[in-house]
């Protein structure tokens, strides 16, 4: 059984931020070391959101494990990058589901494929996971077909089992995907999410950080999440600066993520979240050639507003690195030294944590600093 005593040291930052959120002055207590979030597991090494990816992430030193959450036709939360499963499962090879391929608008953009909301959980369990970036992470494709589509509850049970076996408390950092889209279809992902975390002792007591690219659902569930897990944090994820925020668009507003990155926008975020989740390119922008330019003030400004900063996503392949750190081995080649150097530059700006597809390299970046 987890106890408050066993999780307190690991989650001190969470508790401090939750307390601060109710005080007149917001000053986040920074963790002794930046936190490492396994982005869909160790997805640089195994297909994302599979048991193998999660197990490797925990073995490689991740502090938190991330599930992306989408809804099934029968209202179950499953773990997939998005509702469109064309790129992450073998659904295209199943003739019995051929007639379910269609085009759907999600957050203002048309997508064509197969969508979890057109499948019951039992039907999704007949599919197998596959590597999403098959032309980049070619070696991961050898695991295609080995793993099924996990439910959120199965993911929690697996992390809980690994925690017990390893003697380490792993945080869970779920993202509630496309809330406005699912509500428009008649689903309530937040209600399903709250039911699941309340039903599992692990998510009632372990470190928990809830993510969304929308504002309304974070505002709506904040107190309910804290009532279930008092040490929980909420993170407002930030898309491209010129992108409009989906739930605010639906309400007739034109607020962009860039608007929320201003000092005034950050103060507003602090009324419903504890953390912001910007992209790494919002910390240090890149020019048209992919080269770093001057750092932004976002980390500093967020700290001034009482917010922690957990950025995404550190990846080890050359094509994802700033031009200054790429080696000559080709765009899809692994470049561990480059990724470590990239992360250390962000950490020097005061970053509090980061998502990575390769937690082992993230651990080297954190533990190797002076």
């Amino acid at each position: 059984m987890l106890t408050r005593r066993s999780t307190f040291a690991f989650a001190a930052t969470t508790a401090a931020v939750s307390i601060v959120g109710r005080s007149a002055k917001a000053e986040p207590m920074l963790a002794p070391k930046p936190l490492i979030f396994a982005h869909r597991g160790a997805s640089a090494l195994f297909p994302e959101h599979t048991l193998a990816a999660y197990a490797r992430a925990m073995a490689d030193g991740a502090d938190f494990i991330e599930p992306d959450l989408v809804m099934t036709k029968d209202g179950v939360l499953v773990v997939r990058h998005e509702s469109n499963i064309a790129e992450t499962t073998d659904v295209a090879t199943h003739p019995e589901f051929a007639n379910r391929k269609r085009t759907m608008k999600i957050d203002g953009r048309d997508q064509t494929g197969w969508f979890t909301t057109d499948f019951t959980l039992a039907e999704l369990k007949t599919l197998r996971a596959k590597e999403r970036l098959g032309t980049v992470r070619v070696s991961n494709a050898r695991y295609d077909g080995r793993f099924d589509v996990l439910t959120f509850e199965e993911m929690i049970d697996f992390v809980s089992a690994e925690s017990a076996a390893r003697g380490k408390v792993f945080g869970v950092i779920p993202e509630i995907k496309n809330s406005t889209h699912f509500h428009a279809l008649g689903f309530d992902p937040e209600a399903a999410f709250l039911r699941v975390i309340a039903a599992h002792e692990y998510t009632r007591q372990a470190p928990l950080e809830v993510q969304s690219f929308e504002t309304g659902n974070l505002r709506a569930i904040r107190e309910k999440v804290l009532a279930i897990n008092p040490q929980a944090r909420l993170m407002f994820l930030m898309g491209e600066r010129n992108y409009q925020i989906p739930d605010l668009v639906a309400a007739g507003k034109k607020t962009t993520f860039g608007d929320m990155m201003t000092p005034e926008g950050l103060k507003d975020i602090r009324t419903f979240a504890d953390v912001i989740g910007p992209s790494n390119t919002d910390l240090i922008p890149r020019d048209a050639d992919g080269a770093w330019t001057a750092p932004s003030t976002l980390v500093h400004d967020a700290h001034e507003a009482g917010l922690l900063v957990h950025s995404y996503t550190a990846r080890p392949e050359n094509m994802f690195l700033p031009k200054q750190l790429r080696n000559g081995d080709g765009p899809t080649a692994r470049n561990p030294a480059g990724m470590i150097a990239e992360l250390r530059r962000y950490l020097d700006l005061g970053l509090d944590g980061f998502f990575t597809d390769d937690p082992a390299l993230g651990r080297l970046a954190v533990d190797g600093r002076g």
Side-chain angles (χ1 to χ4, degrees):
M1 175 185 291
L2 294 175
T3 65
R4 294 292 181 208
R5 183 178 299 275
S6 68
T7 62
F8 178 78
F10 181 79
T13 305
T14 300
V17 172
S18 294
I19 293 169
V20 164
R22 294 172 172 77
S23 68
K25 186 174 181 180
E27 294 179 351
M29 181 184 295
L30 305 185
K33 281 189 176 182
L35 295 171
I36 300 169
F37 305 103
H39 187 240
R40 310 170 196 161
S43 51
L45 305 173
F46 294 93
E48 64 191 30
H49 293 317
T50 62
L51 291 178
Y54 291 143
R56 183 61 177 266
M58 288 182 273
D60 282 354
D63 296 312
F64 280 70
I65 311 300
E66 182 195 38
D68 291 329
L69 304 179
V70 296
M71 301 292 294
T72 68
K73 185 177 182 179
D74 45 349
V76 179
L77 285 173
V78 293
V79 182
R80 288 287 90 192
H81 169 53
E82 56 189 354
S83 181
N84 188 348
I85 53 173
E87 295 182 345
T88 61
T89 72
D90 63 356
V91 64
T93 68
H94 286 250
E96 68 273 25
F97 299 136
N99 63 353
R100 298 194 198 180
K101 185 177 184 181
R102 64 183 177 123
T103 298
M104 184 182 290
K105 192 177 292 292
I106 299 179
D107 294 346
R109 297 176 178 84
D110 286 336
Q111 293 190 28
T112 299
W114 290 262
F115 299 88
T116 56
T117 46
D118 293 329
F119 293 79
T120 66
L121 177 61
E123 290 172 328
L124 286 176
K125 285 293 188 178
T126 68
L127 307 180
R128 309 301 283 176
K130 71 173 187 178
E131 172 57 41
R132 185 173 62 89
L133 302 176
T135 60
V136 178
R137 295 168 176 167
V138 178
S139 64
N140 286 9
R142 69 186 186 273
Y143 301 109
D144 287 358
R146 291 198 187 183
F147 305 101
D148 69 359
V149 176
L150 296 172
T151 67
F152 183 31
E153 292 193 271
E154 289 169 339
M155 182 270 179
I156 293 169
D157 283 347
F158 184 64
V159 174
S160 178
E162 287 289 296
S163 174
R166 296 178 183 276
K168 174 180 176 178
V169 178
F170 295 97
V172 180
I173 184 162
E175 180 186 343
I176 300 174
K177 304 287 290 194
N178 307 116
S179 176
T180 295
H181 164 74
F182 286 118
H183 278 277
L185 295 177
F187 297 97
D188 190 340
E190 290 77 26
F193 173 77
L194 292 169
R195 284 196 299 270
V196 170
I197 64 169
H200 289 259
E201 183 178 4
Y202 195 81
T203 43
R204 293 196 304 268
Q205 297 191 18
L208 178 69
E209 188 161 316
V210 186
Q211 314 171 67
S212 176
F213 279 101
E214 303 190 19
T215 67
N217 60 345
L218 293 180
R219 291 183 190 276
I221 68 173
R222 180 176 177 80
E223 294 304 320
K224 295 175 182 178
V225 169
L226 290 173
I228 295 167
N229 185 331
Q231 64 176 323
R233 286 188 292 231
L234 276 72
M235 178 200 290
F236 178 55
L237 288 163
M238 307 183 108
E240 296 290 333
R241 287 176 181 262
N242 62 334
Y243 286 4
Q244 294 179 336
I245 300 169
D247 63 305
L248 299 183
V249 171
K253 300 178 182 179
K254 297 183 178 180
T255 310
T256 66
F257 287 104
D259 294 331
M260 301 298 279
M261 294 182 194
T262 64
E264 286 305 312
L266 293 166
K267 289 178 184 177
D268 182 40
I269 292 170
R270 190 64 188 91
T271 66
F272 63 87
D274 311 290
V275 189
I276 59 168
S279 70
N280 290 334
T281 54
D282 286 315
L283 307 184
I284 306 180
R286 301 181 189 182
D287 64 21
D289 292 326
W292 267 336
T293 59
S296 75
T297 62
L298 184 57
V299 174
H300 173 270
D301 293 343
H303 287 168
E304 286 291 302
L307 292 160
L308 298 171
V309 184
H310 296 156
S311 70
Y312 65 90
T313 302
R315 296 181 166 111
E317 294 87 5
N318 275 320
M319 62 189 295
F320 301 117
L321 297 172
K323 186 176 180 180
Q324 293 93 328
L325 298 178
R326 299 170 195 162
N327 60 28
D329 294 338
T332 64
R334 281 178 60 86
N335 180 354
M339 188 190 117
I340 291 170
E342 179 192 18
L343 279 172
R344 287 180 178 168
R345 182 71 183 93
Y346 303 140
L347 294 172
D348 287 343
L349 297 176
L351 186 66
D352 304 296
F354 55 85
F355 289 88
T356 178
D357 289 0
D358 198 325
L361 298 181
R363 177 57 61 196
L364 289 173
V366 170
D367 291 348
R369 299 172 76 224

